[in-house]
Amino acid sequence: MRFDIKCMLLIAISICLYTPSVFAQHTVSRIEGSNRYEVAVNTAKRGWQEAPAVVLVGGDAYADALSAVPYAYQQGAPVLLTNAGSLSGPLKTGLQQLKTKRVTILGGTASISENVVKQLKAMNLSVSRIQGKNRYELAANVAKHMKSASAAVVVNGSAYADAVAIAPYAAKQGYPILLTDAKGLREETANLLKNKAVKRTIVIGGEASINKMAFQKLPSPVRISGANRYEVAAQIAKTYPMMTSQTFISYGYAYADAAAAASIAAKQGQTLLLTDAQTVPDAIRKVIGAKQKSAFSVVGGTSTVQTNVITQLKNAVLGETIFIDPGHGAQDAGAIGNGLLEKNINLEVALKLQSRLNQAGALIVMSRTSDTFDSLQTRVNKGAQASADIFISIHANANDNSGANGTETYYDTTYAATNSIKLAQQVQPRMVSALGTKDRGVKTAGFYVIKYSRMPSILLETGFVTSPIDASILKSTTAKDRLASGIATGVSNYFDAK
Ligand SMILES: [Zn+2]
C-alpha cells in the first residue's frame, strides 16, 4: 500500500513538473544534410513536392546566389547548388526526386562548368544560363529576366549577409537584388535602374558598404543598416515584416545555407533571421521576443548551427527581457547574521541567475552588478526603462528568532497580479527543491519594488541569514548554483505556460 501511494505521488509530481514544457515549448526543426548541396536539396524538398523549374548557382559563388532568390521566386523555383566541375551527387538525386524539367544556371563557367551543363542535359533536362562579365553585371542581367518592378534592393556585392535577410521580402515584392561596391555605384546597376525605370531603392548596409555618393545617385533610396549583420537582419525584420508563424534561421556566415533558406522563406512568405554558430545574437533575440515567434526551422547542420542554438530556440524565455534586482548594496547591507551580509548573497545569486538566463536565450537587465546602491524608486524606474517582461528582486530574510527559517516568494496585486502569482508559483517550489529549505510558500505583500513595477514581478526571500540552518546553505557555492538554476527553470516554465 505504501509502495502504491509513493508511485502515484511520483507520477503526479512528474506530470506537474513536465507537462507544461511538453505542450507549450517553442517548436524547432532542423533541415540538414551532409554538405551544402544536400542542405539545399533537403530545404527545397521541404517547400516543394515537385519543382519542374529550379535555379542553380555555384556552391562556391556566393555573389551569384545573392540575386538568385527573387528571380527563382518568380519562376516558382527553389535555389539549388552544385560543384563547379561536376554535378554533385545529392543534387542529381534531388533533381530526380523533385521531378525537375528545366534548370536555369546563374553565373559563368567559372562557377558552373560546361561539364555540369552536359551532365544536366544527359538527364534530359533543358538548361539555360544567365551570366555576366562580373557579379554586378550578372545581377543586372538576372533583373532583366524579371518582371518590371517599382523598387529594387541594392547591396554591396561583397557583403552577402546583408542581402540574405531581405531576400524573402524582395522576392515576395518582385524586387530584384542589385549589387554595388564600396567605391561607388556600379555602372551595371545604374544602367539597369534607368532602363527598368525603377522608382525606389532599398539600400542594405552602412556607409562602409554603400557610400554616400552611391546612395545619393540611387532613386528615392532608404537605408537599412546596423552595427553587425544580426542587427541588419533584425532591422529588416522590423521594417519589412513577413509572416512569423514559421521563422527560418540560418548561420550568418554560411551563404550557401542562407540562399536555400531565403528561397524557402520567400515561398512560404516567412521571416528569415541569422544566427551565430553557438548562440542566438542579442539583436535576433530582441526580434524573436518582440514578435512572439515560437516556431523555427533551422537551415544547416551542426557544423554551422550548433546544438546550443537549437536549445535556446526551444526555450520559451528566448528573447524575453528579464530585470534582475539584487536587493540592497553598498552602505545598505540588508539583513546580517551568521557572518553573512544579505547584499552579498543577493548579488551572488543574481549574477549566477543572470548567466543562466542569458545562456538560455533571455535578454537580461540588472539593477546592479557590483556592490553599489540604488533607491527602491530607481530600481523600479530601471525596470520600466528596460521594458522588462518580468521583474525579479532577490533578497534574503532575517528574524530576531534564529529558529525562523525557510524560503518564500512574494507578489503584489497592484499591477499584473495574475501573472505575478503564476511567476511566483513557478519559482517558489524550484527554489525550495534547489536549496532543501523549508517551504514557506507564495505570499502577498506590498514591497515597494514589486508594488510599483507594472510588469509581472516577484520578490524572492531565498533563506534566513539569521537561521544557522539557512545560513550554512546560503554560504555554499553549489547551493547558490542550484538555486540560480532552479529560478531560471521556473522563469522558463512561466513563459512556457503563457
Ligand atoms: Zn532584503
Side-chain angles (χ1 to χ4, degrees):
M1 201 59 200
R2 269 180 69 191
F3 176 74
D4 278 351
I5 289 169
K6 258 189 188 168
C7 265
M8 284 176 63
L9 260 177
L10 270 177
I11 290 166
I13 288 167
S14 341
I15 289 171
C16 290
L17 284 179
Y18 298 114
T19 302
S21 45
V22 170
F23 289 111
Q25 210 176 33
H26 288 181
T27 61
V28 184
S29 66
R30 190 202 276 273
I31 308 174
E32 51 193 329
S34 51
N35 53 41
R36 59 185 63 183
Y37 308 105
E38 197 173 30
V39 169
V41 165
N42 289 341
T43 307
K45 276 164 37 184
R46 185 75 69 91
W48 285 260
Q49 275 191 331
E50 291 184 9
V54 307
V55 169
L56 198 56
V57 296
D60 297 309
Y62 74 80
D64 299 349
L66 292 176
S67 45
V69 177
Y71 171 75
Y73 179 83
Q74 241 170 42
Q75 305 292 314
V79 176
L80 296 176
L81 311 167
T82 182
N83 280 318
S86 66
L87 214 53
S88 60
L91 173 63
K92 194 171 177 182
T93 314
L95 291 171
Q96 286 159 348
Q97 289 166 333
L98 290 163
K99 299 194 166 58
T100 301
K101 295 191 172 61
R102 300 185 312 280
V103 176
T104 307
I105 291 172
L106 301 191
T109 49
S111 357
I112 298 179
S113 67
E114 278 304 309
N115 187 48
V116 170
V117 176
K118 218 160 66 184
Q119 286 178 299
L120 291 168
K121 284 183 174 162
M123 292 172 69
N124 280 326
L125 300 170
S126 85
V127 185
S128 58
R129 189 195 283 273
I130 302 175
Q131 54 187 328
K133 285 197 298 287
N134 51 48
R135 63 187 65 179
Y136 312 100
E137 193 180 82
L138 173 66
N141 287 344
V142 168
K144 275 183 200 161
H145 283 80
M146 291 176 62
K147 291 175 199 145
S148 287
S150 58
V153 171
V154 180
V155 299
N156 185 306
S158 307
Y160 73 87
D162 289 346
V164 168
I166 191 84
Y169 175 82
K172 203 87 194 151
Q173 301 295 318
Y175 301 165
I177 296 178
L178 302 168
L179 309 178
T180 191
D181 60 26
K183 286 186 218 134
L185 185 60
R186 296 283 305 204
E187 200 188 339
E188 299 89 340
T189 298
N191 289 341
L192 187 281
L193 290 170
K194 210 168 89 187
N195 294 341
K196 284 267 190 179
V198 173
K199 291 183 185 65
R200 290 182 299 117
T201 44
I202 301 169
V203 174
I204 310 291
E207 285 179 10
S209 294
I210 294 172
N211 65 25
K212 260 190 197 151
M213 227 169 57
F215 184 83
Q216 283 161 357
K217 284 184 193 160
L218 291 166
S220 306
V222 290
R223 190 193 287 275
I224 303 280
S225 62
N228 54 48
R229 58 193 63 198
Y230 305 113
E231 282 190 14
V232 172
Q235 198 57 40
I236 288 167
K238 270 184 252 171
T239 315
Y240 304 106
M242 304 282 283
M243 289 197 291
T244 55
S245 46
Q246 183 71 38
T247 298
F248 288 88
I249 308 241
S250 72
Y251 178 43
Y253 292 84
Y255 92 88
D257 293 347
S263 172
I264 190 171
K267 179 160 199 284
Q268 301 188 350
Q270 302 286 357
T271 306
L272 172 61
L273 298 174
L274 303 176
T275 184
D276 251 338
Q278 298 91 355
T279 187
V280 178
D282 279 3
I284 301 300
R285 293 182 186 194
K286 273 182 201 144
V287 175
I288 289 171
K291 302 257 179 188
Q292 299 283 307
K293 295 170 196 290
S294 63
F296 304 94
S297 289
V298 173
V299 177
T302 46
S303 64
T304 53
V305 179
Q306 294 174 11
T307 313
N308 189 50
V309 169
I310 306 283
T311 308
Q312 290 177 337
L313 290 171
K314 281 182 182 165
N315 197 323
V317 86
L318 177 69
E320 303 290 346
T321 302
I322 318 287
F323 190 84
I324 303 175
D325 170 40
H328 312 280
Q331 73 277 13
D332 172 14
I336 299 172
N338 293 294
L340 291 175
L341 298 182
E342 185 200 343
K343 64 172 185 176
N344 295 337
I345 306 270
N346 298 345
L347 183 59
E348 282 174 63
V349 173
L351 290 172
K352 287 177 191 294
L353 179 61
Q354 174 191 33
S355 143
R356 278 166 185 67
L357 284 172
N358 179 51
Q359 166 60 26
L363 297 151
I364 313 298
V365 182
M366 307 276 291
S367 63
R368 65 180 177 104
T369 53
S370 59
D371 190 19
T372 55
F373 178 79
D374 275 335
S375 71
L376 297 175
Q377 194 184 355
T378 301
R379 293 167 201 252
V380 169
N381 290 348
K382 282 183 176 177
Q385 257 162 32
S387 302
D389 294 293
I390 61 170
F391 186 110
I392 303 174
S393 192
I394 297 175
H395 287 257
N397 230 329
N399 197 288
D400 290 342
N401 172 6
S402 66
N405 69 317
T407 300
E408 56 200 22
T409 301
Y410 286 93
Y411 66 93
D412 179 79
T413 54
T414 310
Y415 302 110
T418 312
N419 283 330
S420 295
I421 295 168
K422 283 183 186 166
L423 179 57
Q425 285 169 342
Q426 290 286 359
V427 170
Q428 169 66 15
R430 283 169 186 84
M431 286 206 293
V432 170
S433 68
L435 295 174
T437 42
K438 181 177 155 190
D439 186 355
R440 296 171 67 96
V442 169
K443 301 173 175 180
T444 179
F447 294 126
Y448 191 96
V449 291
I450 55 173
K451 181 170 184 180
Y452 292 101
S453 292
R454 290 176 180 244
M455 66 291 290
S457 31
I458 53 174
L459 186 146
L460 314 179
E461 294 284 6
T462 53
F464 284 73
V465 296
T466 46
S467 149
I469 301 168
D470 286 4
S472 76
I473 295 170
L474 293 173
K475 277 176 190 167
S476 151
T477 303
T478 51
K480 279 177 283 204
D481 283 331
R482 283 200 312 271
L483 174 61
S485 295
I487 300 169
T489 304
V491 168
S492 284
N493 288 0
Y494 162 78
F495 286 105
D496 256 351
K498 269 187 84 185

PDB file of all heavy atoms in Angstrom, residues 315-341:
ATOM      1  N   ASN A 315      13.638  27.186 -25.949  1.00  0.00           N
ATOM      2  CA  ASN A 315      13.300  27.722 -24.635  1.00  0.00           C
ATOM      3  C   ASN A 315      12.377  28.940 -24.764  1.00  0.00           C
ATOM      4  O   ASN A 315      12.694  29.898 -25.470  1.00  0.00           O
ATOM      5  CB  ASN A 315      14.579  28.118 -23.899  1.00  0.00           C
ATOM      6  CG  ASN A 315      14.355  28.281 -22.410  1.00  0.00           C
ATOM      7  OD1 ASN A 315      13.305  28.770 -21.989  1.00  0.00           O
ATOM      8  ND2 ASN A 315      15.313  27.870 -21.618  1.00  0.00           N
ATOM      9  N   ALA A 316      11.257  28.895 -24.063  1.00  0.00           N
ATOM     10  CA  ALA A 316      10.269  29.982 -24.170  1.00  0.00           C
ATOM     11  C   ALA A 316      10.789  31.303 -23.614  1.00  0.00           C
ATOM     12  O   ALA A 316      10.203  32.354 -23.843  1.00  0.00           O
ATOM     13  CB  ALA A 316       8.981  29.585 -23.464  1.00  0.00           C
ATOM     14  N   VAL A 317      11.914  31.281 -22.903  1.00  0.00           N
ATOM     15  CA  VAL A 317      12.457  32.516 -22.340  1.00  0.00           C
ATOM     16  C   VAL A 317      13.263  33.291 -23.403  1.00  0.00           C
ATOM     17  O   VAL A 317      13.610  34.458 -23.213  1.00  0.00           O
ATOM     18  CB  VAL A 317      13.334  32.202 -21.104  1.00  0.00           C
ATOM     19  CG1 VAL A 317      14.777  31.863 -21.497  1.00  0.00           C
ATOM     20  CG2 VAL A 317      13.314  33.358 -20.116  1.00  0.00           C
ATOM     21  N   LEU A 318      13.513  32.653 -24.557  1.00  0.00           N
ATOM     22  CA  LEU A 318      14.285  33.289 -25.625  1.00  0.00           C
ATOM     23  C   LEU A 318      13.669  34.636 -26.029  1.00  0.00           C
ATOM     24  O   LEU A 318      12.494  34.706 -26.373  1.00  0.00           O
ATOM     25  CB  LEU A 318      14.342  32.362 -26.851  1.00  0.00           C
ATOM     26  CG  LEU A 318      15.066  32.913 -28.083  1.00  0.00           C
ATOM     27  CD1 LEU A 318      16.558  33.024 -27.836  1.00  0.00           C
ATOM     28  CD2 LEU A 318      14.796  32.042 -29.292  1.00  0.00           C
ATOM     29  N   GLY A 319      14.483  35.677 -25.961  1.00  0.00           N
ATOM     30  CA  GLY A 319      14.041  36.997 -26.395  1.00  0.00           C
ATOM     31  C   GLY A 319      13.216  37.770 -25.372  1.00  0.00           C
ATOM     32  O   GLY A 319      12.825  38.905 -25.620  1.00  0.00           O
ATOM     33  N   GLU A 320      12.957  37.154 -24.221  1.00  0.00           N
ATOM     34  CA  GLU A 320      12.227  37.880 -23.170  1.00  0.00           C
ATOM     35  C   GLU A 320      13.228  38.730 -22.378  1.00  0.00           C
ATOM     36  O   GLU A 320      14.364  38.311 -22.151  1.00  0.00           O
ATOM     37  CB  GLU A 320      11.531  36.896 -22.216  1.00  0.00           C
ATOM     38  CG  GLU A 320      10.565  35.934 -22.901  1.00  0.00           C
ATOM     39  CD  GLU A 320       9.306  36.631 -23.431  1.00  0.00           C
ATOM     40  OE1 GLU A 320       9.043  37.792 -23.049  1.00  0.00           O
ATOM     41  OE2 GLU A 320       8.597  36.009 -24.253  1.00  0.00           O
ATOM     42  N   THR A 321      12.803  39.915 -21.976  1.00  0.00           N
ATOM     43  CA  THR A 321      13.680  40.780 -21.183  1.00  0.00           C
ATOM     44  C   THR A 321      13.395  40.580 -19.698  1.00  0.00           C
ATOM     45  O   THR A 321      12.278  40.796 -19.242  1.00  0.00           O
ATOM     46  CB  THR A 321      13.474  42.256 -21.573  1.00  0.00           C
ATOM     47  OG1 THR A 321      13.743  42.386 -22.974  1.00  0.00           O
ATOM     48  CG2 THR A 321      14.408  43.166 -20.794  1.00  0.00           C
ATOM     49  N   ILE A 322      14.410  40.136 -18.974  1.00  0.00           N
ATOM     50  CA  ILE A 322      14.262  39.841 -17.547  1.00  0.00           C
ATOM     51  C   ILE A 322      15.030  40.885 -16.748  1.00  0.00           C
ATOM     52  O   ILE A 322      16.237  41.062 -16.963  1.00  0.00           O
ATOM     53  CB  ILE A 322      14.840  38.444 -17.195  1.00  0.00           C
ATOM     54  CG1 ILE A 322      14.476  37.388 -18.231  1.00  0.00           C
ATOM     55  CG2 ILE A 322      14.456  38.046 -15.767  1.00  0.00           C
ATOM     56  CD1 ILE A 322      13.071  36.926 -18.234  1.00  0.00           C
ATOM     57  N   PHE A 323      14.351  41.565 -15.857  1.00  0.00           N
ATOM     58  CA  PHE A 323      15.029  42.521 -14.980  1.00  0.00           C
ATOM     59  C   PHE A 323      15.344  41.823 -13.662  1.00  0.00           C
ATOM     60  O   PHE A 323      14.457  41.279 -13.008  1.00  0.00           O
ATOM     61  CB  PHE A 323      14.149  43.749 -14.729  1.00  0.00           C
ATOM     62  CG  PHE A 323      14.882  44.855 -14.036  1.00  0.00           C
ATOM     63  CD1 PHE A 323      15.654  45.758 -14.750  1.00  0.00           C
ATOM     64  CD2 PHE A 323      14.822  44.986 -12.655  1.00  0.00           C
ATOM     65  CE1 PHE A 323      16.353  46.778 -14.120  1.00  0.00           C
ATOM     66  CE2 PHE A 323      15.511  46.002 -12.004  1.00  0.00           C
ATOM     67  CZ  PHE A 323      16.272  46.899 -12.741  1.00  0.00           C
ATOM     68  N   ILE A 324      16.638  41.813 -13.309  1.00  0.00           N
ATOM     69  CA  ILE A 324      17.057  41.174 -12.051  1.00  0.00           C
ATOM     70  C   ILE A 324      17.560  42.258 -11.106  1.00  0.00           C
ATOM     71  O   ILE A 324      18.455  43.038 -11.462  1.00  0.00           O
ATOM     72  CB  ILE A 324      18.158  40.123 -12.294  1.00  0.00           C
ATOM     73  CG1 ILE A 324      17.676  39.055 -13.290  1.00  0.00           C
ATOM     74  CG2 ILE A 324      18.572  39.474 -10.975  1.00  0.00           C
ATOM     75  CD1 ILE A 324      18.755  38.050 -13.678  1.00  0.00           C
ATOM     76  N   ASP A 325      16.989  42.286  -9.921  1.00  0.00           N
ATOM     77  CA  ASP A 325      17.309  43.315  -8.928  1.00  0.00           C
ATOM     78  C   ASP A 325      17.891  42.666  -7.667  1.00  0.00           C
ATOM     79  O   ASP A 325      17.145  42.177  -6.821  1.00  0.00           O
ATOM     80  CB  ASP A 325      16.023  44.096  -8.578  1.00  0.00           C
ATOM     81  CG  ASP A 325      16.216  45.014  -7.387  1.00  0.00           C
ATOM     82  OD1 ASP A 325      17.283  45.647  -7.290  1.00  0.00           O
ATOM     83  OD2 ASP A 325      15.285  45.078  -6.538  1.00  0.00           O
ATOM     84  N   PRO A 326      19.230  42.658  -7.542  1.00  0.00           N
ATOM     85  CA  PRO A 326      19.824  42.164  -6.295  1.00  0.00           C
ATOM     86  C   PRO A 326      19.579  43.204  -5.190  1.00  0.00           C
ATOM     87  O   PRO A 326      20.080  44.330  -5.290  1.00  0.00           O
ATOM     88  CB  PRO A 326      21.317  42.056  -6.614  1.00  0.00           C
ATOM     89  CG  PRO A 326      21.458  42.369  -8.086  1.00  0.00           C
ATOM     90  CD  PRO A 326      20.245  43.136  -8.494  1.00  0.00           C
ATOM     91  N   GLY A 327      18.819  42.846  -4.167  1.00  0.00           N
ATOM     92  CA  GLY A 327      18.414  43.806  -3.147  1.00  0.00           C
ATOM     93  C   GLY A 327      19.598  44.409  -2.393  1.00  0.00           C
ATOM     94  O   GLY A 327      20.652  43.800  -2.291  1.00  0.00           O
ATOM     95  N   HIS A 328      19.380  45.663  -1.903  1.00  0.00           N
ATOM     96  CA  HIS A 328      20.363  46.375  -1.058  1.00  0.00           C
ATOM     97  C   HIS A 328      21.649  46.680  -1.832  1.00  0.00           C
ATOM     98  O   HIS A 328      21.626  46.738  -3.058  1.00  0.00           O
ATOM     99  CB  HIS A 328      20.623  45.597   0.231  1.00  0.00           C
ATOM    100  CG  HIS A 328      19.334  45.162   0.889  1.00  0.00           C
ATOM    101  ND1 HIS A 328      18.562  45.996   1.652  1.00  0.00           N
ATOM    102  CD2 HIS A 328      18.669  43.971   0.820  1.00  0.00           C
ATOM    103  CE1 HIS A 328      17.460  45.340   2.057  1.00  0.00           C
ATOM    104  NE2 HIS A 328      17.507  44.112   1.564  1.00  0.00           N
ATOM    105  N   GLY A 329      22.788  46.828  -1.147  1.00  0.00           N
ATOM    106  CA  GLY A 329      24.059  47.165  -1.800  1.00  0.00           C
ATOM    107  C   GLY A 329      24.751  48.326  -1.119  1.00  0.00           C
ATOM    108  O   GLY A 329      24.104  49.156  -0.464  1.00  0.00           O
ATOM    109  N   ALA A 330      26.083  48.357  -1.239  1.00  0.00           N
ATOM    110  CA  ALA A 330      26.945  49.399  -0.667  1.00  0.00           C
ATOM    111  C   ALA A 330      26.657  49.608   0.816  1.00  0.00           C
ATOM    112  O   ALA A 330      26.715  48.653   1.597  1.00  0.00           O
ATOM    113  CB  ALA A 330      26.808  50.690  -1.474  1.00  0.00           C
ATOM    114  N   GLN A 331      26.301  50.873   1.195  1.00  0.00           N
ATOM    115  CA  GLN A 331      26.103  51.178   2.625  1.00  0.00           C
ATOM    116  C   GLN A 331      24.927  50.427   3.231  1.00  0.00           C
ATOM    117  O   GLN A 331      24.839  50.263   4.447  1.00  0.00           O
ATOM    118  CB  GLN A 331      25.924  52.698   2.824  1.00  0.00           C
ATOM    119  CG  GLN A 331      24.580  53.284   2.357  1.00  0.00           C
ATOM    120  CD  GLN A 331      24.558  53.595   0.851  1.00  0.00           C
ATOM    121  OE1 GLN A 331      25.441  53.159   0.097  1.00  0.00           O
ATOM    122  NE2 GLN A 331      23.552  54.356   0.420  1.00  0.00           N
ATOM    123  N   ASP A 332      24.026  49.934   2.378  1.00  0.00           N
ATOM    124  CA  ASP A 332      22.849  49.188   2.838  1.00  0.00           C
ATOM    125  C   ASP A 332      23.142  47.686   2.740  1.00  0.00           C
ATOM    126  O   ASP A 332      23.030  47.105   1.668  1.00  0.00           O
ATOM    127  CB  ASP A 332      21.642  49.577   1.972  1.00  0.00           C
ATOM    128  CG  ASP A 332      20.421  48.699   2.244  1.00  0.00           C
ATOM    129  OD1 ASP A 332      20.410  47.976   3.272  1.00  0.00           O
ATOM    130  OD2 ASP A 332      19.483  48.743   1.422  1.00  0.00           O
ATOM    131  N   ALA A 333      23.536  47.097   3.859  1.00  0.00           N
ATOM    132  CA  ALA A 333      23.935  45.681   3.838  1.00  0.00           C
ATOM    133  C   ALA A 333      22.733  44.748   3.825  1.00  0.00           C
ATOM    134  O   ALA A 333      22.861  43.577   3.512  1.00  0.00           O
ATOM    135  CB  ALA A 333      24.813  45.366   5.045  1.00  0.00           C
ATOM    136  N   GLY A 334      21.538  45.260   4.178  1.00  0.00           N
ATOM    137  CA  GLY A 334      20.379  44.390   4.315  1.00  0.00           C
ATOM    138  C   GLY A 334      20.497  43.582   5.600  1.00  0.00           C
ATOM    139  O   GLY A 334      21.112  44.036   6.572  1.00  0.00           O
ATOM    140  N   ALA A 335      19.949  42.375   5.602  1.00  0.00           N
ATOM    141  CA  ALA A 335      19.982  41.538   6.802  1.00  0.00           C
ATOM    142  C   ALA A 335      21.408  41.059   7.080  1.00  0.00           C
ATOM    143  O   ALA A 335      22.193  40.859   6.164  1.00  0.00           O
ATOM    144  CB  ALA A 335      19.061  40.345   6.618  1.00  0.00           C
ATOM    145  N   ILE A 336      21.705  40.923   8.384  1.00  0.00           N
ATOM    146  CA  ILE A 336      23.040  40.457   8.791  1.00  0.00           C
ATOM    147  C   ILE A 336      22.872  39.305   9.772  1.00  0.00           C
ATOM    148  O   ILE A 336      22.024  39.347  10.669  1.00  0.00           O
ATOM    149  CB  ILE A 336      23.839  41.599   9.474  1.00  0.00           C
ATOM    150  CG1 ILE A 336      24.019  42.771   8.490  1.00  0.00           C
ATOM    151  CG2 ILE A 336      25.195  41.091   9.960  1.00  0.00           C
ATOM    152  CD1 ILE A 336      24.627  44.015   9.122  1.00  0.00           C
ATOM    153  N   GLY A 337      23.647  38.235   9.611  1.00  0.00           N
ATOM    154  CA  GLY A 337      23.593  37.129  10.573  1.00  0.00           C
ATOM    155  C   GLY A 337      24.531  36.015  10.189  1.00  0.00           C
ATOM    156  O   GLY A 337      24.799  35.814   8.989  1.00  0.00           O
ATOM    157  N   ASN A 338      25.030  35.321  11.181  1.00  0.00           N
ATOM    158  CA  ASN A 338      25.916  34.165  10.956  1.00  0.00           C
ATOM    159  C   ASN A 338      27.061  34.482   9.991  1.00  0.00           C
ATOM    160  O   ASN A 338      27.441  33.653   9.166  1.00  0.00           O
ATOM    161  CB  ASN A 338      25.111  32.973  10.436  1.00  0.00           C
ATOM    162  CG  ASN A 338      24.138  32.437  11.491  1.00  0.00           C
ATOM    163  OD1 ASN A 338      24.565  31.923  12.525  1.00  0.00           O
ATOM    164  ND2 ASN A 338      22.845  32.596  11.243  1.00  0.00           N
ATOM    165  N   GLY A 339      27.586  35.691  10.111  1.00  0.00           N
ATOM    166  CA  GLY A 339      28.731  36.091   9.276  1.00  0.00           C
ATOM    167  C   GLY A 339      28.341  36.434   7.849  1.00  0.00           C
ATOM    168  O   GLY A 339      29.209  36.602   6.990  1.00  0.00           O
ATOM    169  N   LEU A 340      27.044  36.533   7.579  1.00  0.00           N
ATOM    170  CA  LEU A 340      26.589  36.820   6.212  1.00  0.00           C
ATOM    171  C   LEU A 340      26.020  38.232   6.101  1.00  0.00           C
ATOM    172  O   LEU A 340      25.341  38.702   7.016  1.00  0.00           O
ATOM    173  CB  LEU A 340      25.508  35.826   5.791  1.00  0.00           C
ATOM    174  CG  LEU A 340      25.935  34.372   5.578  1.00  0.00           C
ATOM    175  CD1 LEU A 340      24.722  33.498   5.292  1.00  0.00           C
ATOM    176  CD2 LEU A 340      26.937  34.274   4.421  1.00  0.00           C
ATOM    177  N   LEU A 341      26.325  38.903   4.988  1.00  0.00           N
ATOM    178  CA  LEU A 341      25.664  40.164   4.661  1.00  0.00           C
ATOM    179  C   LEU A 341      24.693  39.867   3.521  1.00  0.00           C
ATOM    180  O   LEU A 341      25.096  39.347   2.473  1.00  0.00           O
ATOM    181  CB  LEU A 341      26.678  41.217   4.199  1.00  0.00           C
ATOM    182  CG  LEU A 341      27.749  41.645   5.200  1.00  0.00           C
ATOM    183  CD1 LEU A 341      28.640  42.727   4.584  1.00  0.00           C
ATOM    184  CD2 LEU A 341      27.096  42.173   6.490  1.00  0.00           C
TER     185      LEU A 341
END
